Amino acid sequence: MNDDQHWMARALELARRGEAQTHPNPMVGAVIVRGGQAVGEGYHVYEKVDHAEIVALRRAGERARGATLYVNLEPCCHTGRTGACTEAIIAAGIGRVVAAMEDPNPAVGGRGFERLRAAGIEVALGQREDKEIAQRLNEGFACWIRTGKPFVTLKSALTLDGQLALPQSGQRRSSTWITSEASRAEVHRMRHAADALLTGIGTVLADDPLLTDRSGLPRRRKLLRVIMDSRLRLPLRSKIVKTADEDVLVLTTLSAQHARAKRIEKAGVEVMRIASRGGHADLRAALKELGAREILSVLLEAGSQLNGAALAAGMVDKLFLFYAPKVAGGEDVPFARAKKLLLPPLSDVSLHRFGPDFALEGYLSNVYRNR
């Protein structure tokens, strides 16, 4: 690993510290290096306003003059809540900037680099590996800024024969966990990284889950729990309703004036009517609504019907499938139900190990191309 790779790895490590705290901005980390030593570091947290570069420059002070700035995302060149980072970098006398990737916003991408070069600052892009890591880090932001819709990860826990649940016990589906405690801890980390969790009313009726982020890690906004419930069958005694605290949204095809809608809203749950498709709440309309609410990333945790509908609609960007070393021996609860569902091969596939389980992660879309 050369010096550039070493310091870029540090910038990426710092950026990750802002997970769930930068919304709706991207996660950014910055390191200022002079004479082989870090003289200033920083990462962005939305509530603290300043961008990572500004935090690092402030800590470096005069030592920033002639130094190299490493940052995982192209410095901004426009004024918003803060001034342009490019102008602060120029004023500080930085001699060289190494960035892992360009700004994914096609309206501004590359302009920050142009401004720095025009001021006589050397600009370089990081290694391909750095770019890939940086892109994954902010894939939700990239998808939202380019399409206006959130990045969707479909997560499921499966037996080796592709079942979402173990065999039934009497008249009820088994409530025994399929995967290990290590896998469930990773699920909460994934929930922590997401802005919203999307499920269907079938999952709520079958399992009565909480669907909360119980990672214990800090986040700027509560995880928004979103339920697709066309006919408003959500039980008022369900755990989701009882724990609602301005963090539950029900999407339905019924009017807000419907008696059931009024009862659910009285219990503290937001109910919103969206367009219907095939007699059900339209998933594309749901994504559009979430994007309008500045939801950058969605974790889809649902059953066979909603999984199949989401995959068939082409709204899933990534699959993250946990497999337990168990065989259910049935066909009651398959991973997805959909007519004529034929998915393209996954790209950028990787395998992970969580205790006795393994997980497969792979992409169905490229967030740098519009859907």
Side-chain angles (χ1 to χ4, degrees), residues 210-229:
L210 275 172
L211 300 178
T212 52
D213 168 12
R214 299 191 287 281
S215 66
L217 299 172
R219 58 183 307 135
R220 178 174 173 244
R221 302 198 317 182
K222 293 178 181 178
L223 177 70
L224 180 64
R225 295 175 284 172
V226 185
I227 305 168
M228 302 294 289
D229 186 5

Side-chain angles (χ1 to χ4, degrees), residues 201 229-234 251-254 258 260 279-280:
I201 185 59
D229 186 5
S230 300
R231 292 178 287 159
L232 292 180
R233 294 184 291 156
L234 179 64
L251 299 177
T252 183
T253 58
L254 299 183
H258 195 285
R260 273 176 275 176
H280 300 282

Side-chain angles (χ1 to χ4, degrees), residues 30-35 37-41 52-70 85-97 121-122:
V31 184
I32 297 173
V33 178
R34 182 173 181 176
Q37 299 293 323
V39 296
E41 295 184 339
E53 300 95 318
I54 304 303
V55 176
L57 287 170
R58 184 181 300 118
R59 291 176 175 170
E62 285 300 314
R63 294 174 295 176
R65 194 160 298 279
T68 297
L69 167 68
Y70 293 88
C85 287
T86 51
E87 302 312 303
I89 292 168
I90 293 167
I94 289 288
R96 179 171 179 254
V97 172
I121 296 175
E122 180 186 349

Side-chain angles (χ1 to χ4, degrees), residues 148-150 152 198 226-228 230 249-253 272-278 280-293 295 298 306 309-310 313 315 371:
K149 298 175 183 177
V152 178
L198 178 64
V226 185
I227 305 168
M228 302 294 289
S230 300
L249 171 65
V250 174
L251 299 177
T252 183
T253 58
M272 183 173 184
R273 183 181 187 181
I274 61 173
S276 65
R277 181 186 292 267
H280 300 282
D282 184 16
L283 283 169
R284 293 187 180 278
L287 275 195
K288 184 177 180 180
E289 171 60 27
L290 294 177
R293 294 178 181 230
I295 296 296
V298 170
L306 188 53
M315 62 173 276
R371 300 182 197 186

Side-chain angles (χ1 to χ4, degrees), residues 39-86:
V39 296
E41 295 184 339
Y43 63 95
H44 177 56
V45 173
Y46 187 87
E47 301 297 351
K48 295 183 179 180
V49 181
D50 286 333
H51 290 183
E53 300 95 318
I54 304 303
V55 176
L57 287 170
R58 184 181 300 118
R59 291 176 175 170
E62 285 300 314
R63 294 174 295 176
R65 194 160 298 279
T68 297
L69 167 68
Y70 293 88
V71 62
N72 60 295
L73 185 65
E74 176 184 2
C76 66
C77 59
H78 56 276
T79 299
R81 297 173 71 224
T82 67
C85 287
T86 51

Side-chain angles (χ1 to χ4, degrees), residues 236-251:
L236 297 182
R237 294 184 178 181
S238 62
K239 292 177 182 177
I240 285 183
V241 173
K242 287 184 176 181
T243 58
D245 185 16
E246 298 184 344
D247 62 347
V248 179
L249 171 65
V250 174
L251 299 177

Side-chain angles (χ1 to χ4, degrees), residues 53-209:
E53 300 95 318
I54 304 303
V55 176
L57 287 170
R58 184 181 300 118
R59 291 176 175 170
E62 285 300 314
R63 294 174 295 176
R65 194 160 298 279
T68 297
L69 167 68
Y70 293 88
V71 62
N72 60 295
L73 185 65
E74 176 184 2
C76 66
C77 59
H78 56 276
T79 299
R81 297 173 71 224
T82 67
C85 287
T86 51
E87 302 312 303
I89 292 168
I90 293 167
I94 289 288
R96 179 171 179 254
V97 172
V98 182
M101 61 178 285
E102 288 188 355
D103 190 319
N105 186 345
V108 299
R111 290 172 56 190
F113 293 151
E114 291 175 4
R115 176 69 184 106
L116 295 173
R117 290 191 179 104
I121 296 175
E122 180 186 349
V123 175
L125 284 173
Q127 302 292 320
R128 184 181 68 179
E129 293 82 1
D130 296 331
K131 181 178 180 180
E132 291 175 351
I133 295 171
Q135 287 179 339
R136 286 193 176 213
L137 186 67
N138 282 308
E139 57 195 9
F141 173 78
C143 184
W144 179 74
I145 203 69
R146 295 178 72 89
T147 70
K149 298 175 183 177
F151 182 91
V152 178
T153 298
L154 192 164
K155 165 262 158 188
S156 281
L158 308 166
T159 59
L160 291 178
D161 52 344
Q163 296 292 296
L164 296 179
L166 295 174
Q168 290 183 343
S169 175
Q171 298 299 314
R172 292 183 58 83
R173 198 164 78 187
S174 172
S175 59
T176 304
W177 293 107
I178 289 180
T179 51
S180 66
E181 185 176 342
S183 292
R184 297 196 297 275
E186 177 63 14
V187 169
H188 282 287
R189 191 209 63 77
M190 293 174 69
R191 289 181 182 179
H192 173 72
D195 292 334
L197 187 151
L198 178 64
T199 194
I201 185 59
T203 295
V204 176
L205 295 175
D207 301 331
D208 192 21

